[in-house]
Amino acid sequence: MGKSVLVTGYSKVPAKTSAADIYTVMGVCMEVDVETGNILEADCTLVTDLSKQFVIKLLKGEKLTDISNLEEKFRSNYQGSAKKALVTGMKICHDRYLKALENRKIL
């Protein structure tokens, strides 16, 4: 088994944003260490490079298992219109990570 898993979460993009002109959903993607829960890499479907890089900095190195800490980081630091969509995508990633851990135990 590999030491990491790729998880994705998608949510509806808020209307009347630049992202909505390009995407119908917001995607959040993370590579997570299965043993520690650390987010090794991250990406999202925001339009501007600065926004994407900011989100990556918020996520990278954090523990996906500590979802309440991640939510607080986004509420405090990300003031863009896609905040709710990003947090929803992040929560879905969290759920998929936990499901991946369960699946690994079965194998």
Side-chain angles (χ1 to χ4, degrees):
M1 284 190 277
K3 291 186 179 187
S4 65
V5 63
L6 185 77
V7 291
T8 59
Y10 295 91
S11 57
K12 187 170 171 51
V13 175
K16 299 182 182 178
T17 63
S18 57
D21 292 337
I22 298 171
Y23 308 110
T24 57
V25 294
M26 170 68 60
V28 179
C29 180
M30 300 178 205
E31 179 185 5
V32 184
D33 184 303
V34 294
E35 294 175 6
T36 65
N38 286 343
I39 300 169
L40 304 172
E41 294 291 340
D43 203 357
C44 63
T45 55
L46 289 169
V47 175
T48 64
D49 288 337
L50 180 58
S51 295
K52 285 175 138 181
Q53 292 305 314
F54 190 82
V55 168
I56 290 167
K57 281 196 296 187
L58 287 177
L59 293 171
K60 200 169 174 181
E62 295 293 331
K63 289 194 176 291
L64 185 55
T65 51
D66 191 357
I67 193 68
S68 59
N69 176 57
L70 287 172
E71 286 183 70
E72 181 55 35
K73 281 185 80 171
F74 271 83
R75 283 183 175 62
S76 299
N77 298 298
Y78 185 88
Q79 302 306 315
S81 56
K83 183 189 320 189
K84 184 176 179 182
L86 287 166
V87 169
T88 299
M90 188 175 58
K91 287 179 177 180
I92 293 168
C93 286
H94 174 257
D95 292 344
R96 289 192 173 157
Y97 171 72
L98 295 178
K99 184 68 172 172
L101 291 181
E102 286 177 23
N103 290 341
R104 284 174 175 258
K105 289 177 184 175
I106 292 169
L107 297 176

